[in-house]
Short mmCIF file of all heavy atoms in Angstrom, two decimals:
data_model
loop_
_atom_site.label_atom_id
_atom_site.label_comp_id
_atom_site.label_asym_id
_atom_site.label_seq_id
_atom_site.Cartn_x
_atom_site.Cartn_y
_atom_site.Cartn_z
N VAL A 82 -6.48 -5.71 8.71
CA VAL A 82 -6.82 -4.90 7.56
C VAL A 82 -5.62 -3.96 7.22
O VAL A 82 -5.27 -3.84 6.10
CB VAL A 82 -8.02 -3.97 7.97
CG1 VAL A 82 -8.19 -2.82 6.94
CG2 VAL A 82 -9.28 -4.84 8.05
N VAL A 83 -4.96 -3.46 8.21
CA VAL A 83 -3.80 -2.59 7.90
C VAL A 83 -2.66 -3.38 7.29
O VAL A 83 -1.98 -2.91 6.43
CB VAL A 83 -3.34 -1.82 9.24
CG1 VAL A 83 -1.99 -1.18 9.05
CG2 VAL A 83 -4.36 -0.86 9.68
N LEU A 84 -2.34 -4.58 7.84
CA LEU A 84 -1.25 -5.34 7.35
C LEU A 84 -1.39 -6.00 6.01
O LEU A 84 -0.53 -6.10 5.22
CB LEU A 84 -0.83 -6.38 8.36
CG LEU A 84 -0.29 -5.85 9.70
CD1 LEU A 84 0.00 -7.06 10.61
CD2 LEU A 84 1.03 -5.10 9.40
N PHE A 85 -2.60 -6.41 5.72
CA PHE A 85 -2.88 -7.22 4.54
C PHE A 85 -3.68 -6.51 3.47
O PHE A 85 -4.10 -7.16 2.54
CB PHE A 85 -3.61 -8.54 4.89
CG PHE A 85 -2.79 -9.37 5.87
CD1 PHE A 85 -3.17 -9.54 7.13
CD2 PHE A 85 -1.56 -9.89 5.43
CE1 PHE A 85 -2.41 -10.30 8.06
CE2 PHE A 85 -0.78 -10.64 6.27
CZ PHE A 85 -1.20 -10.83 7.67
N SER A 86 -3.90 -5.18 3.55
CA SER A 86 -4.65 -4.49 2.54
C SER A 86 -3.62 -3.91 1.52
O SER A 86 -2.45 -3.80 1.78
CB SER A 86 -5.43 -3.33 3.21
OG SER A 86 -4.64 -2.44 3.86
N PRO A 87 -4.13 -3.58 0.37
CA PRO A 87 -3.23 -2.91 -0.61
C PRO A 87 -2.52 -1.68 0.00
O PRO A 87 -3.09 -1.01 0.94
CB PRO A 87 -4.11 -2.51 -1.77
CG PRO A 87 -5.33 -3.36 -1.58
CD PRO A 87 -5.44 -3.66 -0.17
N THR A 88 -1.35 -1.33 -0.43
CA THR A 88 -0.54 -0.34 0.15
C THR A 88 -1.27 1.09 0.18
O THR A 88 -1.27 1.80 1.25
CB THR A 88 0.80 -0.15 -0.54
OG1 THR A 88 1.46 -1.38 -0.53
CG2 THR A 88 1.69 0.91 0.07
N ASP A 89 -1.92 1.34 -0.85
CA ASP A 89 -2.69 2.76 -0.89
C ASP A 89 -3.78 2.73 0.18
O ASP A 89 -3.97 3.73 0.85
CB ASP A 89 -3.18 3.11 -2.18
CG ASP A 89 -4.09 2.12 -2.90
OD1 ASP A 89 -4.04 0.98 -2.53
OD2 ASP A 89 -4.79 2.56 -3.79
N LEU A 90 -4.52 1.62 0.41
CA LEU A 90 -5.53 1.56 1.41
C LEU A 90 -4.86 1.62 2.79
O LEU A 90 -5.38 2.29 3.67
CB LEU A 90 -6.39 0.34 1.21
CG LEU A 90 -7.39 0.05 2.35
CD1 LEU A 90 -8.38 1.24 2.40
CD2 LEU A 90 -8.09 -1.24 2.17
N ARG A 91 -3.79 0.95 2.92
CA ARG A 91 -3.08 0.91 4.24
C ARG A 91 -2.58 2.29 4.54
O ARG A 91 -2.72 2.82 5.62
CB ARG A 91 -1.88 -0.10 4.19
CG ARG A 91 -1.14 -0.23 5.43
CD ARG A 91 -0.17 -1.38 5.43
NE ARG A 91 0.72 -1.37 4.35
CZ ARG A 91 0.86 -2.44 3.48
NH1 ARG A 91 0.12 -3.46 3.60
NH2 ARG A 91 1.75 -2.36 2.54
N TRP A 92 -2.00 3.06 3.55
CA TRP A 92 -1.49 4.35 3.81
C TRP A 92 -2.68 5.34 4.05
O TRP A 92 -2.56 6.21 4.85
CB TRP A 92 -0.65 4.82 2.65
CG TRP A 92 0.73 4.24 2.65
CD1 TRP A 92 1.19 3.36 3.56
CD2 TRP A 92 1.72 4.43 1.70
NE1 TRP A 92 2.46 3.08 3.20
CE2 TRP A 92 2.82 3.64 2.15
CE3 TRP A 92 1.82 5.24 0.56
CZ2 TRP A 92 3.99 3.66 1.40
CZ3 TRP A 92 2.97 5.19 -0.16
CH2 TRP A 92 4.10 4.45 0.26
N ASN A 93 -3.83 5.09 3.41
CA ASN A 93 -5.02 5.89 3.74
C ASN A 93 -5.45 5.70 5.17
O ASN A 93 -5.85 6.60 5.88
CB ASN A 93 -6.19 5.53 2.82
CG ASN A 93 -6.13 6.26 1.47
OD1 ASN A 93 -5.36 7.11 1.29
ND2 ASN A 93 -6.96 5.79 0.58
N LEU A 94 -5.42 4.42 5.66
CA LEU A 94 -5.76 4.09 7.07
C LEU A 94 -4.79 4.77 8.00
O LEU A 94 -5.19 5.32 9.08
CB LEU A 94 -5.87 2.64 7.23
CG LEU A 94 -7.04 1.97 6.61
CD1 LEU A 94 -6.81 0.40 6.71
CD2 LEU A 94 -8.28 2.33 7.09
N LEU A 95 -3.49 4.73 7.69
CA LEU A 95 -2.46 5.23 8.63
C LEU A 95 -2.31 6.75 8.53
O LEU A 95 -2.05 7.35 9.51
CB LEU A 95 -1.16 4.54 8.30
CG LEU A 95 -1.08 3.05 8.62
CD1 LEU A 95 0.24 2.46 8.12
CD2 LEU A 95 -1.22 2.77 10.07
N TYR A 96 -2.35 7.30 7.41
CA TYR A 96 -1.99 8.70 7.17
C TYR A 96 -3.19 9.61 6.61
O TYR A 96 -2.97 10.75 6.45
CB TYR A 96 -0.84 8.88 6.18
CG TYR A 96 0.35 8.03 6.56
CD1 TYR A 96 0.76 6.93 5.74
CD2 TYR A 96 1.04 8.22 7.69
CE1 TYR A 96 1.77 6.14 6.11
CE2 TYR A 96 2.13 7.42 8.10
CZ TYR A 96 2.43 6.35 7.27
OH TYR A 96 3.54 5.52 7.64
N GLY A 97 -4.31 9.02 6.45
CA GLY A 97 -5.43 9.81 5.95
C GLY A 97 -5.40 9.88 4.37
O GLY A 97 -4.69 9.12 3.75
N PRO A 99 -4.54 11.19 0.63
CA PRO A 99 -3.35 11.82 0.07
C PRO A 99 -3.42 13.31 0.07
O PRO A 99 -4.50 13.88 -0.20
CB PRO A 99 -3.29 11.24 -1.38
CG PRO A 99 -4.27 10.14 -1.47
CD PRO A 99 -5.28 10.35 -0.33
N ARG A 124 5.24 9.66 1.52
CA ARG A 124 4.99 8.39 0.89
C ARG A 124 4.45 8.61 -0.47
O ARG A 124 3.49 9.43 -0.57
CB ARG A 124 3.91 7.60 1.72
CG ARG A 124 4.46 6.97 2.97
CD ARG A 124 4.64 7.89 4.07
NE ARG A 124 5.02 7.24 5.28
CZ ARG A 124 5.87 7.72 6.21
NH1 ARG A 124 6.31 8.92 6.02
NH2 ARG A 124 6.10 7.10 7.26
N VAL A 125 4.97 8.02 -1.47
CA VAL A 125 4.62 8.27 -2.81
C VAL A 125 4.17 6.93 -3.51
O VAL A 125 4.82 5.92 -3.34
CB VAL A 125 5.82 8.93 -3.64
CG1 VAL A 125 5.41 9.15 -5.11
CG2 VAL A 125 6.22 10.17 -2.98
N GLN A 126 3.08 7.03 -4.26
CA GLN A 126 2.59 5.81 -5.04
C GLN A 126 2.51 6.28 -6.44
O GLN A 126 1.87 7.38 -6.76
CB GLN A 126 1.26 5.38 -4.49
CG GLN A 126 0.65 4.30 -5.33
CD GLN A 126 -0.83 4.06 -5.01
OE1 GLN A 126 -1.38 4.73 -4.13
NE2 GLN A 126 -1.46 3.04 -5.62
N VAL A 127 3.01 5.48 -7.40
CA VAL A 127 2.90 5.72 -8.78
C VAL A 127 2.24 4.49 -9.46
O VAL A 127 2.73 3.39 -9.29
CB VAL A 127 4.30 6.05 -9.47
CG1 VAL A 127 4.06 6.30 -10.91
CG2 VAL A 127 4.94 7.21 -8.76
N ASN A 128 1.19 4.72 -10.23
CA ASN A 128 0.46 3.61 -10.91
C ASN A 128 0.37 3.92 -12.37
O ASN A 128 -0.12 5.01 -12.79
CB ASN A 128 -0.92 3.43 -10.42
CG ASN A 128 -0.97 2.82 -9.01
OD1 ASN A 128 -0.20 1.98 -8.73
ND2 ASN A 128 -1.88 3.23 -8.19
N GLN A 189 3.95 -0.05 -11.35
CA GLN A 189 3.44 0.32 -9.96
C GLN A 189 4.61 0.38 -9.02
O GLN A 189 5.49 -0.51 -8.99
CB GLN A 189 2.41 -0.66 -9.48
CG GLN A 189 1.74 -0.19 -8.16
CD GLN A 189 0.73 -1.15 -7.74
OE1 GLN A 189 0.91 -2.35 -7.68
NE2 GLN A 189 -0.53 -0.62 -7.52
N SER A 190 4.65 1.45 -8.20
CA SER A 190 5.71 1.53 -7.21
C SER A 190 5.15 2.35 -5.99
O SER A 190 4.43 3.26 -6.16
CB SER A 190 6.91 2.19 -7.86
OG SER A 190 7.98 2.28 -6.91
N TYR A 191 5.66 1.91 -4.86
CA TYR A 191 5.41 2.60 -3.55
C TYR A 191 6.73 2.87 -2.99
O TYR A 191 7.56 1.99 -2.91
CB TYR A 191 4.59 1.74 -2.61
CG TYR A 191 3.25 1.26 -3.13
CD1 TYR A 191 3.09 0.10 -3.82
CD2 TYR A 191 2.11 2.09 -2.97
CE1 TYR A 191 1.88 -0.32 -4.30
CE2 TYR A 191 0.88 1.66 -3.42
CZ TYR A 191 0.83 0.41 -4.12
OH TYR A 191 -0.42 0.06 -4.52
N PHE A 192 6.97 4.12 -2.54
CA PHE A 192 8.27 4.32 -1.86
C PHE A 192 8.19 5.58 -0.95
O PHE A 192 7.21 6.37 -1.03
CB PHE A 192 9.36 4.54 -2.89
CG PHE A 192 9.13 5.66 -3.84
CD1 PHE A 192 9.58 6.99 -3.57
CD2 PHE A 192 8.42 5.50 -5.03
CE1 PHE A 192 9.32 7.93 -4.38
CE2 PHE A 192 8.14 6.56 -5.89
CZ PHE A 192 8.62 7.80 -5.54
N TYR A 193 9.22 5.71 -0.16
CA TYR A 193 9.31 6.89 0.76
C TYR A 193 10.35 7.80 0.07
O TYR A 193 11.45 7.39 -0.32
CB TYR A 193 9.86 6.44 2.11
CG TYR A 193 8.88 5.59 2.87
CD1 TYR A 193 9.01 4.20 2.75
CD2 TYR A 193 7.90 6.11 3.65
CE1 TYR A 193 8.11 3.35 3.49
CE2 TYR A 193 6.97 5.30 4.28
CZ TYR A 193 7.05 3.98 4.20
OH TYR A 193 6.15 3.19 4.86
N LYS A 223 0.14 9.68 -6.32
CA LYS A 223 -0.37 10.11 -5.01
C LYS A 223 0.67 10.28 -4.01
O LYS A 223 1.73 9.57 -3.98
CB LYS A 223 -1.41 8.99 -4.47
CG LYS A 223 -2.56 8.76 -5.32
CD LYS A 223 -3.50 7.64 -4.72
CE LYS A 223 -4.60 7.34 -5.58
NZ LYS A 223 -5.41 6.16 -4.94
N TRP A 225 1.32 11.02 0.15
CA TRP A 225 0.81 11.12 1.55
C TRP A 225 1.97 11.80 2.36
O TRP A 225 3.17 11.45 2.24
CB TRP A 225 0.66 9.77 2.16
CG TRP A 225 -0.58 9.04 1.67
CD1 TRP A 225 -1.79 9.07 2.21
CD2 TRP A 225 -0.74 8.24 0.48
NE1 TRP A 225 -2.68 8.34 1.44
CE2 TRP A 225 -2.03 7.72 0.44
CE3 TRP A 225 0.14 7.83 -0.48
CZ2 TRP A 225 -2.52 6.95 -0.56
CZ3 TRP A 225 -0.23 6.96 -1.48
CH2 TRP A 225 -1.56 6.55 -1.54
#
Side-chain angles (χ1 to χ4, degrees):
V82 166
V83 168
L84 291 175
F85 300 111
S86 61
T88 302
D89 55 339
L90 175 60
R91 183 168 54 239
W92 284 0
N93 279 347
L94 291 171
L95 293 173
Y96 308 114
R124 282 78 173 149
V125 180
Q126 172 192 6
V127 180
N128 286 324
Q189 185 177 52
S190 183
Y191 302 91
F192 60 90
Y193 296 93
K223 294 180 185 177
W225 286 266

